Amino acid sequence: MSEPINGFTGFKTHENLPVADGPSAKPPAAPIPPLTLSGEMKFNPEKLALLPQADRRWAWVEVNLNAIRHNVMVTKQAIGPGCRLMAVVKADAYGHGAVQVAKTALNSGAEYLGVATIDEAIELREALINAPILVLAEPPNSAVPLFVAYKVMPTVYTPEFAILYGEEADRHQVRAPYHLKVNTGMNRIGVRPDEVVDFVRRVDFHRALDLVGVYTHFATADCMETLDFHIQAKRFVEAIHMLQAAGINPGIVHAANSAATFRYPEVRFDMVRLGLSMYGLHPCTQTRRVVDLHPAMSVHARIVDVRTVGMSEGVSYGLSYRSPGNVMICTLPIGYADGLRRGLSGRIDMILQGQRCRQVGAICMDYSMYEVNMRVYGNKTRITPQIGNEVLLVGREGESAITIEELANALDTVQHEVTIGFANRIARVHT
Ligand SMILES: *Cc1c(COP(=O)(O)O)cnc(C)c1O
C-alpha cells in the first residue's frame, strides 16, 4: 500500500474509521484486506494473451488460408510451369495479413512477393521470409540503404536512383538487382517504351546493377472495352523487342495483374502479379467462367443487444430510420472504425440463422443496427434473435451469401478498398 496508481491509494479499512460509541454501536466488522497494488502478480498476462479474439469483442474477420492456397494452386495450374507467380501482398495483403498470406502463397507455388513500400518488405523479412521481394515503386534516394540491407528489389525508372542504388550495393560488395518499369499507357510511373534502351545503356556501366526484370501495368485489364488494353500490350511487346535487338536481356518479363492473367493469356510472359484473385475475388465478370476462386475473407459478429422498437420510433444518429412496427432491432459491435463504411448505411444486410436482415439507421463508429421482421411471410421461418447469436456480414451460410463485391457495388468502389478497410481495427483470425 504505497504508491498511488492513477491517484488511487486503496480503500480505507475499518481500522481507520472512528467507531461510534454508545449501546447501539455495532462491533467493528472483520477488516477488509487492503488491495495489493504492488507486490505479487495477481494476473497472468501470458494466460490472458491466450484469450481468443472472438471472445474479446463480438466482431472479427476470418481469413481462410486454405482458400488462398486453392487460389494460388489453380492459378499455377492455369499459367503452367514456365510462368512464375508473384503474390501481391501490399497493404497488409489487401487486409488479409501480409505475413500469413505470403507464407501460404509461397508454400502453394508462388515464387515472388510484391509490395508497395520498403516497410512492407521489411515486415516480411523480419518474419524470416527469404523469397525475392519486389517493391512495386521507386523509393526516394534516401531509402536506398534499406533495399541493400534487407535484400529487397526496387522498381526503377530514373537513372539517378539506379546509380545511387548501384553505388550503395558496391560499397557493401553485393549485387543491386532491380526491375525496370515501363509506362505503356497508365501514365503513372515508368520510362517511355521508346526510352528503355537508352535508359539501360545509361545505367548499365555500373558493375553492381543487375536488370532482373522489365514490367508494365495495365489500366483497363478489368474493363469491358479492350482496345486500350491491346494498345498497352503492343507497346510493351515492342519495348521488350527493342531491348533484345540492342543485345540487352530483359530478364523476367511481366505485365499481368489478376484480370489480365485470366482474360489475356498472351500477356502472362514470364510472371503474373496476382492480387485480387489470390484473395478469391473476381476482378470482373469475364474471369468467372475461366477460373474457380474461393473468397478468403469473411466478416463475423455476435448480437450484443436485441429490443423491440415501437412503430415510428427512430434508430441511430439522426433517427433517419423509423420503425415500421413489428420489428426487433439487433445491434452488432461493428462500425465504420472497423471498415463497415458509413456510406453503406441502409444498403447492406446481415445473415442471421440463414436469413438476410436489413441494416437500418446510420452505421456508427463502433456499432450498426439491423431490423428483424417479426411477421412471418412467404416461405420464411420466424427468426428469434438473441444476444450472443453469431451473424455474418460477409460470407456464406447455406443458401444466403453476402460478398465483398456487393459491398463494393453499394459504395461504388472496387473490392480492394473494401477488404483493405476491414484491416482497420477489427480483430483478424486466420483459419
Ligand atoms: C497492386 C498491383 C497488382 C495486383 O493487382 P490485382 O488487380 O489486385 O491483381 C499488380 N501489379 C501492380 C504494379 C500493382 O500495383
Side-chain angles (χ1 to χ4, degrees), residues 86 88 90 94 115-116 136 181 188-189 215-218 222 254-259 261 273-279 283 416:
M86 173 192 283
V88 178
K90 63 193 180 190
Y94 295 25
V115 294
L136 300 162
K181 180 78 180 271
R188 185 170 64 175
I189 54 167
Y215 77 103
T216 193
H217 191 52
F218 294 116
D222 58 353
H254 52 113
N257 58 359
S258 295
T261 297
R273 304 189 303 267
L274 217 60
L276 200 65
S277 62
M278 180 171 65
Y279 305 104
H416 312 63

Side-chain angles (χ1 to χ4, degrees), residues 111-274:
E111 292 91 349
Y112 242 78
L113 297 172
V115 294
T117 72
I118 183 61
D119 285 330
E120 290 175 341
I122 291 172
E123 186 195 356
L124 300 172
R125 286 284 181 255
E126 284 180 342
L128 306 180
I129 292 171
N130 284 321
I133 302 177
L134 175 64
V135 171
L136 300 162
E138 188 183 89
N141 293 346
S142 43
V144 159
L146 295 170
F147 282 79
V148 175
Y150 286 95
K151 298 204 187 320
V152 173
M153 286 175 281
T155 292
V156 173
Y157 51 88
T158 62
E160 297 72 27
F161 178 87
I163 303 294
L164 269 171
Y165 175 52
E167 284 170 351
E168 175 75 7
D170 219 22
R171 267 196 291 282
H172 293 88
Q173 293 169 346
V174 294
R175 309 298 306 163
Y178 72 97
H179 288 235
L180 173 62
K181 180 78 180 271
V182 187
N183 169 35
T184 55
M186 174 98 171
N187 291 317
R188 185 170 64 175
I189 54 167
V191 300
R192 285 168 33 173
D194 59 349
E195 283 175 340
V196 290
V197 172
D198 236 35
F199 180 94
V200 177
R201 286 208 175 118
R202 271 183 74 184
V203 304
D204 226 17
F205 71 90
H206 207 289
R207 57 180 183 175
L209 280 177
D210 282 330
L211 175 64
V212 299
V214 178
Y215 77 103
T216 193
H217 191 52
F218 294 116
T220 60
D222 58 353
C223 298
M224 284 284 281
E225 187 270 344
T226 61
L227 179 64
D228 289 315
F229 172 85
H230 287 295
I231 292 172
Q232 278 197 270
K234 184 163 169 286
R235 287 177 184 156
F236 184 58
V237 169
E238 281 166 7
I240 299 299
H241 285 163
M242 284 188 275
L243 284 169
Q244 286 164 336
I248 297 162
N249 179 358
I252 303 169
V253 174
H254 52 113
N257 58 359
S258 295
T261 297
F262 294 108
R263 278 182 84 189
Y264 305 104
E266 68 273 20
V267 298
R268 288 173 185 162
F269 302 111
D270 302 321
M271 180 159 75
V272 298
R273 304 189 303 267
L274 217 60

